[in-house]
Amino acid sequence: SFGKIIATARYLPEKIVTNDDLAEWLDTSDEWIQSRTGIKQRHIAEAENTSDMCSQVAKKLVDHTTIDPLSLDFIIVATMSPDYTSPSVACQVQGQIGATQAMAFDVTAACAGFVYALATAENFIRGGMRRGIVIGGEKTSKLLDWHDRSSAVLFGDGAAGVLLEATEEPSIIKQMLRADGKQSQALTAGYHANKNIFHEEAETSPALTMDGRGIWNFALNDVTKSLKEFVGEESVDYYLLHQANKRIIEKIARKMSEPLEKFPMNLMNYGNTSAASIPILLDELVETKQLSLNGKQKIVLTGYGGGLAWGNLLIQL
Ligand SMILES: O=C(O)C1CCN(c2ccc(-c3cc(CO)ccc3Cl)cn2)CC1
């Protein structure tokens, strides 16, 4: 069997923080942020943690499809901002929705996480599993240095995901997963103090660090080159790229010699939601009926970011 996306759902925390809000304590401006990133606002979770947002997504997927949670074989959550290292967010979600027959684990691949997780789920279905949930969820706001204007303005919180079911026709027809660990320091977050009773290491800040230039070049070179090879002569209706930066997406569209209309963007409303960015965009496109889950349209999902990791999926919806 093959996996088919049966339903999509998203959850954004209520609080909206605008560029002007950030300018109240950061030396930045709405003009700078919008012109350089395309971002106008972002949602920031307050009391809710990553597992709470992911559980909301799982609840929506179960409620909208009226499936029995006990019929779920797997729950996979892609996140770089888990509540804990143990238990996984996926296990927390599994408990919240009572899907006690499902195996559950997290995937850590930063902004490529959802693509890695969906490819992993497809492989489980090809291996015999029948139904599962794949979620990308982030609360990067708890990892940021909120006084570093170069990174604090870029990120937002949120979660979104899909319900995947076994069918006879292939839908996720091609996958490519890549990594370049030599550039692992280009985006770091959540470093755990490396100390125990026997060894003390100089304290390193756990705050997110980003080599913007390094990731920018990686996106325009490695990611774009892979995307060109991956797509080949396929005719693609929509490219759902990780929503990191408006100018990057425009440059990739040009390098692909494809019209910008094929590269929908919602980063202006959410900022960079890391592993949640692609499923949030997918759910919005389904909601506005630009995409329908009836097997006609061909889309490509492209995640790229910390690791460095990146990946492409070609899906006939
Ligand atoms: O000065 C400027 O114009 C700055 C230059 C640096 N910028 C960047 C650089 C890299 C990213 C980025 C981040 C991730 C992590 O999810 C993944 C993919 C990308 Cl391409 C986002 N913004 C912001 C505007």
Side-chain angles (χ1 to χ4, degrees):
S1 302
F2 305 94
K4 176 159 182 55
I5 295 174
I6 301 299
T8 63
R10 69 182 186 274
Y11 177 83
L12 280 302
E14 185 193 347
K15 185 177 182 61
I16 288 179
V17 176
T18 66
N19 293 341
D20 286 335
D21 292 334
L22 294 174
E24 280 170 22
W25 74 84
L26 281 173
D27 177 15
T28 186
S29 71
D30 177 45
E31 195 281 328
W32 188 95
I33 298 169
Q34 283 206 52
S35 64
R36 308 295 282 260
T37 71
I39 299 165
K40 293 181 177 172
Q41 63 177 45
R42 69 286 291 148
H43 291 247
I44 300 296
E46 295 172 275
E48 291 167 308
N49 210 331
T50 305
S51 64
D52 301 302
M53 295 189 280
C54 293
S55 296
Q56 292 289 346
V57 172
K59 270 191 200 84
K60 285 186 178 186
L61 289 168
V62 167
D63 295 347
H64 295 171
T65 56
T66 67
I67 60 158
D68 177 352
L70 291 174
S71 71
L72 291 167
D73 297 319
F74 61 85
I75 296 176
I76 304 174
V77 172
T79 185
M80 63 178 276
S81 54
D83 299 30
Y84 302 89
T85 46
S86 172
S88 65
V89 173
C91 281
Q92 291 179 281
V93 170
Q94 195 250 37
Q96 281 299 312
I97 66 167
T100 45
Q101 299 304 310
M103 55 92 112
F105 66 105
D106 290 355
V107 163
T108 300
C111 316
F114 184 75
V115 166
Y116 266 67
L118 190 52
T120 303
E122 172 66 17
N123 298 337
F124 279 125
I125 290 191
R126 292 184 183 210
M129 289 196 183
R130 305 293 302 163
R131 176 183 277 166
I133 283 176
V134 182
I135 296 170
E138 302 287 10
K139 186 175 183 176
T140 45
S141 61
K142 66 187 180 184
L143 302 174
L144 292 174
D145 169 356
W146 281 97
H147 296 285
D148 169 12
R149 69 178 181 176
S150 66
S151 57
V153 305
L154 304 178
F155 292 90
D157 299 337
V162 299
L163 175 68
L164 210 60
E165 278 184 7
T167 55
E168 293 324 301
E169 288 305 307
S171 168
I172 300 176
I173 40 191
K174 196 161 123 182
Q175 48 182 280
M176 173 202 271
L177 303 178
R178 300 288 302 279
D180 176 7
K182 290 194 181 328
Q183 299 192 65
S184 66
Q185 294 307 299
L187 186 113
T188 69
Y191 183 71
H192 295 285
N194 179 28
K195 64 181 179 183
N196 58 29
I197 189 80
F198 305 108
H199 172 82
E200 283 279 322
E201 186 183 82
E203 287 288 307
T204 312
S205 159
L208 184 142
T209 71
M210 191 177 90
D211 166 10
R213 187 52 50 203
I215 301 191
W216 188 282
N217 293 332
F218 152 70
L220 289 189
N221 301 318
D222 308 63
V223 174
T224 308
K225 184 169 175 290
S226 300
L227 181 56
K228 270 189 171 157
E229 286 164 18
F230 181 75
V231 168
E233 297 310 309
E234 283 286 354
S235 71
V236 173
D237 297 305
Y238 283 105
Y239 294 84
L240 278 63
L241 302 188
H242 165 49
Q243 299 289 294
N245 182 287
K246 182 174 191 290
R247 290 164 46 207
I248 287 262
I249 294 173
E250 288 170 346
K251 286 175 185 294
I252 292 176
R254 263 200 300 282
K255 286 179 174 246
M256 294 295 291
S257 311
E258 288 272 34
L260 196 53
E261 291 67 41
K262 291 192 175 185
F263 294 78
M265 281 188 255
N266 63 6
L267 57 86
M268 59 293 270
N269 299 322
Y270 302 115
N272 177 344
T273 54
S274 189
S277 83
I278 290 173
I280 289 171
L281 182 61
L282 176 62
D283 183 53
E284 286 195 330
L285 292 170
V286 169
E287 187 175 66
T288 59
K289 302 201 183 336
Q290 285 169 271
L291 285 180
S292 62
L293 303 175
N294 64 4
K296 301 274 180 301
Q297 292 164 298
K298 269 195 185 152
I299 65 172
V300 170
L301 309 189
T302 301
Y304 51 99
L308 294 174
W310 70 106
N312 297 304
L313 294 175
L314 174 64
I315 305 178
Q316 169 115 23
L317 282 176

mmCIF file of all heavy atoms in Angstrom, residues 32 36-37 111 150 154-155 187 210-213 215-216 218-219 242 244-245 247-248 272 274 304-306, ligand 1:
data_model
loop_
_atom_site.group_PDB
_atom_site.id
_atom_site.type_symbol
_atom_site.label_atom_id
_atom_site.label_comp_id
_atom_site.label_asym_id
_atom_site.label_seq_id
_atom_site.Cartn_x
_atom_site.Cartn_y
_atom_site.Cartn_z
ATOM 1 N N TRP A 32 12.342 47.510 8.030
ATOM 2 C CA TRP A 32 13.501 46.628 7.824
ATOM 3 C C TRP A 32 13.035 45.184 7.722
ATOM 4 O O TRP A 32 13.391 44.468 6.783
ATOM 5 C CB TRP A 32 14.527 46.763 8.967
ATOM 6 C CG TRP A 32 15.811 46.029 8.690
ATOM 7 C CD1 TRP A 32 16.958 46.547 8.141
ATOM 8 C CD2 TRP A 32 16.080 44.624 8.895
ATOM 9 N NE1 TRP A 32 17.901 45.565 7.998
ATOM 10 C CE2 TRP A 32 17.403 44.385 8.462
ATOM 11 C CE3 TRP A 32 15.335 43.552 9.399
ATOM 12 C CZ2 TRP A 32 18.005 43.119 8.514
ATOM 13 C CZ3 TRP A 32 15.930 42.298 9.464
ATOM 14 C CH2 TRP A 32 17.248 42.091 9.025
ATOM 15 N N ARG A 36 13.341 42.943 4.299
ATOM 16 C CA ARG A 36 14.398 41.917 4.231
ATOM 17 C C ARG A 36 13.872 40.494 4.343
ATOM 18 O O ARG A 36 14.502 39.551 3.891
ATOM 19 C CB ARG A 36 15.439 42.152 5.325
ATOM 20 C CG ARG A 36 15.996 43.547 5.365
ATOM 21 C CD ARG A 36 16.796 43.908 4.115
ATOM 22 N NE ARG A 36 18.111 43.332 4.144
ATOM 23 C CZ ARG A 36 19.212 44.011 4.497
ATOM 24 N NH1 ARG A 36 19.103 45.264 4.875
ATOM 25 N NH2 ARG A 36 20.389 43.432 4.483
ATOM 26 N N THR A 37 12.674 40.329 4.961
ATOM 27 C CA THR A 37 12.184 38.957 5.197
ATOM 28 C C THR A 37 10.799 38.708 4.622
ATOM 29 O O THR A 37 10.454 37.568 4.331
ATOM 30 C CB THR A 37 12.093 38.666 6.705
ATOM 31 O OG1 THR A 37 10.996 39.414 7.265
ATOM 32 C CG2 THR A 37 13.368 39.054 7.430
ATOM 33 N N CYS A 111 14.022 22.634 10.099
ATOM 34 C CA CYS A 111 13.028 23.120 9.125
ATOM 35 C C CYS A 111 12.787 22.120 8.000
ATOM 36 O O CYS A 111 11.921 22.321 7.165
ATOM 37 C CB CYS A 111 13.508 24.436 8.552
ATOM 38 S SG CYS A 111 14.140 25.496 9.847
ATOM 39 N N SER A 150 18.821 40.044 15.033
ATOM 40 C CA SER A 150 19.026 39.334 13.755
ATOM 41 C C SER A 150 18.262 38.010 13.725
ATOM 42 O O SER A 150 17.967 37.495 12.663
ATOM 43 C CB SER A 150 20.520 39.080 13.524
ATOM 44 O OG SER A 150 20.983 38.173 14.503
ATOM 45 N N LEU A 154 12.698 36.707 13.208
ATOM 46 C CA LEU A 154 12.463 35.781 12.090
ATOM 47 C C LEU A 154 11.463 34.681 12.387
ATOM 48 O O LEU A 154 10.813 34.178 11.481
ATOM 49 C CB LEU A 154 13.793 35.129 11.668
ATOM 50 C CG LEU A 154 14.932 36.063 11.284
ATOM 51 C CD1 LEU A 154 16.180 35.243 10.932
ATOM 52 C CD2 LEU A 154 14.534 36.947 10.111
ATOM 53 N N PHE A 155 11.353 34.287 13.683
ATOM 54 C CA PHE A 155 10.657 33.037 13.989
ATOM 55 C C PHE A 155 9.258 33.236 14.591
ATOM 56 O O PHE A 155 8.989 34.280 15.196
ATOM 57 C CB PHE A 155 11.523 32.187 14.937
ATOM 58 C CG PHE A 155 12.779 31.683 14.290
ATOM 59 C CD1 PHE A 155 13.958 32.421 14.321
ATOM 60 C CD2 PHE A 155 12.778 30.476 13.592
ATOM 61 C CE1 PHE A 155 15.112 31.970 13.691
ATOM 62 C CE2 PHE A 155 13.933 30.010 12.965
ATOM 63 C CZ PHE A 155 15.102 30.757 13.006
ATOM 64 N N LEU A 187 23.065 26.577 12.154
ATOM 65 C CA LEU A 187 21.853 26.884 12.922
ATOM 66 C C LEU A 187 21.855 25.957 14.135
ATOM 67 O O LEU A 187 21.764 24.738 13.970
ATOM 68 C CB LEU A 187 20.574 26.666 12.113
ATOM 69 C CG LEU A 187 19.342 27.128 12.903
ATOM 70 C CD1 LEU A 187 18.703 28.342 12.239
ATOM 71 C CD2 LEU A 187 18.306 26.043 13.037
ATOM 72 N N MET A 210 22.211 31.563 14.505
ATOM 73 C CA MET A 210 22.027 31.327 13.068
ATOM 74 C C MET A 210 23.068 32.080 12.258
ATOM 75 O O MET A 210 23.258 33.275 12.455
ATOM 76 C CB MET A 210 20.618 31.796 12.661
ATOM 77 C CG MET A 210 20.217 31.353 11.261
ATOM 78 S SD MET A 210 18.545 31.865 10.880
ATOM 79 C CE MET A 210 18.897 33.458 10.179
ATOM 80 N N ASP A 211 23.746 31.347 11.382
ATOM 81 C CA ASP A 211 24.660 31.980 10.420
ATOM 82 C C ASP A 211 23.812 32.281 9.188
ATOM 83 O O ASP A 211 23.724 31.460 8.252
ATOM 84 C CB ASP A 211 25.813 31.018 10.092
ATOM 85 C CG ASP A 211 26.603 31.471 8.853
ATOM 86 O OD1 ASP A 211 26.378 32.619 8.385
ATOM 87 O OD2 ASP A 211 27.434 30.679 8.358
ATOM 88 N N GLY A 212 23.171 33.446 9.200
ATOM 89 C CA GLY A 212 22.222 33.805 8.143
ATOM 90 C C GLY A 212 22.805 33.682 6.756
ATOM 91 O O GLY A 212 22.203 33.066 5.873
ATOM 92 N N ARG A 213 24.006 34.210 6.595
ATOM 93 C CA ARG A 213 24.647 34.168 5.281
ATOM 94 C C ARG A 213 24.877 32.727 4.833
ATOM 95 O O ARG A 213 24.613 32.359 3.696
ATOM 96 C CB ARG A 213 25.963 34.953 5.351
ATOM 97 C CG ARG A 213 26.709 35.173 4.052
ATOM 98 C CD ARG A 213 25.904 35.757 2.955
ATOM 99 N NE ARG A 213 25.145 36.968 3.304
ATOM 100 C CZ ARG A 213 24.057 37.341 2.610
ATOM 101 N NH1 ARG A 213 23.617 36.583 1.619
ATOM 102 N NH2 ARG A 213 23.401 38.425 2.923
ATOM 103 N N ILE A 215 23.288 29.974 5.742
ATOM 104 C CA ILE A 215 22.054 29.244 5.389
ATOM 105 C C ILE A 215 21.469 29.804 4.095
ATOM 106 O O ILE A 215 20.932 29.078 3.266
ATOM 107 C CB ILE A 215 21.014 29.353 6.530
ATOM 108 C CG1 ILE A 215 21.588 28.780 7.818
ATOM 109 C CG2 ILE A 215 19.751 28.576 6.153
ATOM 110 C CD1 ILE A 215 20.578 28.602 8.910
ATOM 111 N N TRP A 216 21.590 31.104 3.943
ATOM 112 C CA TRP A 216 21.101 31.772 2.714
ATOM 113 C C TRP A 216 21.764 31.126 1.489
ATOM 114 O O TRP A 216 21.098 30.693 0.546
ATOM 115 C CB TRP A 216 21.453 33.255 2.802
ATOM 116 C CG TRP A 216 20.890 34.127 1.745
ATOM 117 C CD1 TRP A 216 21.335 34.275 0.466
ATOM 118 C CD2 TRP A 216 19.743 34.998 1.880
ATOM 119 N NE1 TRP A 216 20.543 35.178 -0.200
ATOM 120 C CE2 TRP A 216 19.580 35.649 0.644
ATOM 121 C CE3 TRP A 216 18.869 35.293 2.929
ATOM 122 C CZ2 TRP A 216 18.563 36.575 0.436
ATOM 123 C CZ3 TRP A 216 17.856 36.234 2.703
ATOM 124 C CH2 TRP A 216 17.708 36.847 1.479
ATOM 125 N N PHE A 218 23.304 28.237 1.307
ATOM 126 C CA PHE A 218 22.903 26.810 1.247
ATOM 127 C C PHE A 218 21.553 26.700 0.541
ATOM 128 O O PHE A 218 21.363 25.871 -0.352
ATOM 129 C CB PHE A 218 22.856 26.284 2.677
ATOM 130 C CG PHE A 218 21.900 25.161 2.953
ATOM 131 C CD1 PHE A 218 22.139 23.885 2.443
ATOM 132 C CD2 PHE A 218 20.771 25.359 3.751
ATOM 133 C CE1 PHE A 218 21.269 22.838 2.729
ATOM 134 C CE2 PHE A 218 19.890 24.319 4.030
ATOM 135 C CZ PHE A 218 20.140 23.051 3.523
ATOM 136 N N ALA A 219 20.615 27.583 0.903
ATOM 137 C CA ALA A 219 19.269 27.516 0.298
ATOM 138 C C ALA A 219 19.331 27.800 -1.202
ATOM 139 O O ALA A 219 18.681 27.132 -2.008
ATOM 140 C CB ALA A 219 18.350 28.517 0.999
ATOM 141 N N HIS A 242 9.639 25.530 2.473
ATOM 142 C CA HIS A 242 9.735 25.981 3.867
ATOM 143 C C HIS A 242 9.703 27.511 3.856
ATOM 144 O O HIS A 242 10.425 28.154 3.085
ATOM 145 C CB HIS A 242 11.022 25.464 4.501
ATOM 146 C CG HIS A 242 11.371 26.166 5.778
ATOM 147 N ND1 HIS A 242 10.469 26.353 6.809
ATOM 148 C CD2 HIS A 242 12.527 26.734 6.177
ATOM 149 C CE1 HIS A 242 11.057 27.010 7.789
ATOM 150 N NE2 HIS A 242 12.303 27.261 7.434
ATOM 151 N N ALA A 244 10.806 30.449 5.069
ATOM 152 C CA ALA A 244 11.851 31.102 5.876
ATOM 153 C C ALA A 244 12.025 32.565 5.530
ATOM 154 O O ALA A 244 12.211 33.403 6.413
ATOM 155 C CB ALA A 244 13.176 30.375 5.667
ATOM 156 N N ASN A 245 11.956 32.854 4.224
ATOM 157 C CA ASN A 245 12.275 34.227 3.801
ATOM 158 C C ASN A 245 11.719 34.464 2.400
ATOM 159 O O ASN A 245 11.916 33.645 1.504
ATOM 160 C CB ASN A 245 13.806 34.408 3.800
ATOM 161 C CG ASN A 245 14.223 35.814 3.427
ATOM 162 O OD1 ASN A 245 14.128 36.201 2.265
ATOM 163 N ND2 ASN A 245 14.651 36.584 4.413
ATOM 164 N N ARG A 247 12.470 36.666 0.048
ATOM 165 C CA ARG A 247 13.448 36.891 -1.035
ATOM 166 C C ARG A 247 14.109 35.599 -1.469
ATOM 167 O O ARG A 247 14.368 35.370 -2.650
ATOM 168 C CB ARG A 247 14.487 37.927 -0.581
ATOM 169 C CG ARG A 247 13.876 39.312 -0.466
ATOM 170 C CD ARG A 247 14.708 40.283 0.333
ATOM 171 N NE ARG A 247 16.107 40.217 -0.049
ATOM 172 C CZ ARG A 247 17.121 40.528 0.774
ATOM 173 N NH1 ARG A 247 16.901 40.898 1.980
ATOM 174 N NH2 ARG A 247 18.346 40.444 0.390
ATOM 175 N N ILE A 248 14.290 34.685 -0.502
ATOM 176 C CA ILE A 248 14.853 33.359 -0.846
ATOM 177 C C ILE A 248 13.889 32.628 -1.769
ATOM 178 O O ILE A 248 14.282 32.066 -2.792
ATOM 179 C CB ILE A 248 15.062 32.542 0.455
ATOM 180 C CG1 ILE A 248 16.250 33.094 1.226
ATOM 181 C CG2 ILE A 248 15.206 31.047 0.156
ATOM 182 C CD1 ILE A 248 17.531 32.381 1.057
ATOM 183 N N ASN A 272 8.895 32.434 10.455
ATOM 184 C CA ASN A 272 9.483 31.141 10.162
ATOM 185 C C ASN A 272 9.074 30.182 11.280
ATOM 186 O O ASN A 272 9.596 30.262 12.384
ATOM 187 C CB ASN A 272 11.007 31.303 10.095
ATOM 188 C CG ASN A 272 11.715 29.981 9.869
ATOM 189 O OD1 ASN A 272 11.131 28.915 10.048
ATOM 190 N ND2 ASN A 272 12.958 30.064 9.465
ATOM 191 N N SER A 274 9.556 26.978 11.305
ATOM 192 C CA SER A 274 10.426 25.790 11.230
ATOM 193 C C SER A 274 9.648 24.566 10.725
ATOM 194 O O SER A 274 9.050 24.634 9.650
ATOM 195 C CB SER A 274 11.067 25.553 12.600
ATOM 196 O OG SER A 274 12.049 24.567 12.522
ATOM 197 N N TYR A 304 14.112 22.829 4.350
ATOM 198 C CA TYR A 304 15.566 23.089 4.350
ATOM 199 C C TYR A 304 15.896 23.934 5.573
ATOM 200 O O TYR A 304 15.172 24.875 5.902
ATOM 201 C CB TYR A 304 16.012 23.799 3.060
ATOM 202 C CG TYR A 304 15.205 25.029 2.714
ATOM 203 C CD1 TYR A 304 15.669 26.304 3.020
ATOM 204 C CD2 TYR A 304 13.951 24.909 2.102
ATOM 205 C CE1 TYR A 304 14.914 27.428 2.721
ATOM 206 C CE2 TYR A 304 13.192 26.035 1.803
ATOM 207 C CZ TYR A 304 13.675 27.278 2.117
ATOM 208 O OH TYR A 304 12.915 28.400 1.833
ATOM 209 N N GLY A 305 16.989 23.568 6.263
ATOM 210 C CA GLY A 305 17.348 24.345 7.460
ATOM 211 C C GLY A 305 18.364 23.649 8.327
ATOM 212 O O GLY A 305 19.219 22.909 7.832
ATOM 213 N N GLY A 306 18.225 23.835 9.624
ATOM 214 C CA GLY A 306 19.219 23.379 10.566
ATOM 215 C C GLY A 306 19.576 21.909 10.419
ATOM 216 O O GLY A 306 18.757 21.061 10.094
HETATM 217 O O1 LIG B 1 20.001 40.981 6.292
HETATM 218 C C1 LIG B 1 19.122 40.234 5.835
HETATM 219 O O2 LIG B 1 18.464 40.496 4.795
HETATM 220 C C2 LIG B 1 18.858 38.930 6.555
HETATM 221 C C3 LIG B 1 19.807 37.876 5.976
HETATM 222 C C4 LIG B 1 19.613 36.556 6.692
HETATM 223 N N1 LIG B 1 18.202 36.145 6.678
HETATM 224 C C5 LIG B 1 17.906 34.815 6.687
HETATM 225 C C6 LIG B 1 18.866 33.844 6.405
HETATM 226 C C7 LIG B 1 18.500 32.503 6.421
HETATM 227 C C8 LIG B 1 17.213 32.160 6.717
HETATM 228 C C9 LIG B 1 16.807 30.758 6.798
HETATM 229 C C10 LIG B 1 16.522 30.213 8.049
HETATM 230 C C11 LIG B 1 16.147 28.883 8.176
HETATM 231 C C12 LIG B 1 15.871 28.307 9.513
HETATM 232 O O3 LIG B 1 14.548 27.899 9.528
HETATM 233 C C13 LIG B 1 16.010 28.076 7.038
HETATM 234 C C14 LIG B 1 16.291 28.609 5.785
HETATM 235 C C15 LIG B 1 16.691 29.948 5.656
HETATM 236 CL CL1 LIG B 1 17.049 30.584 4.093
HETATM 237 C C16 LIG B 1 16.285 33.160 6.968
HETATM 238 N N2 LIG B 1 16.650 34.466 6.942
HETATM 239 C C17 LIG B 1 17.209 37.136 7.112
HETATM 240 C C18 LIG B 1 17.392 38.472 6.387
#
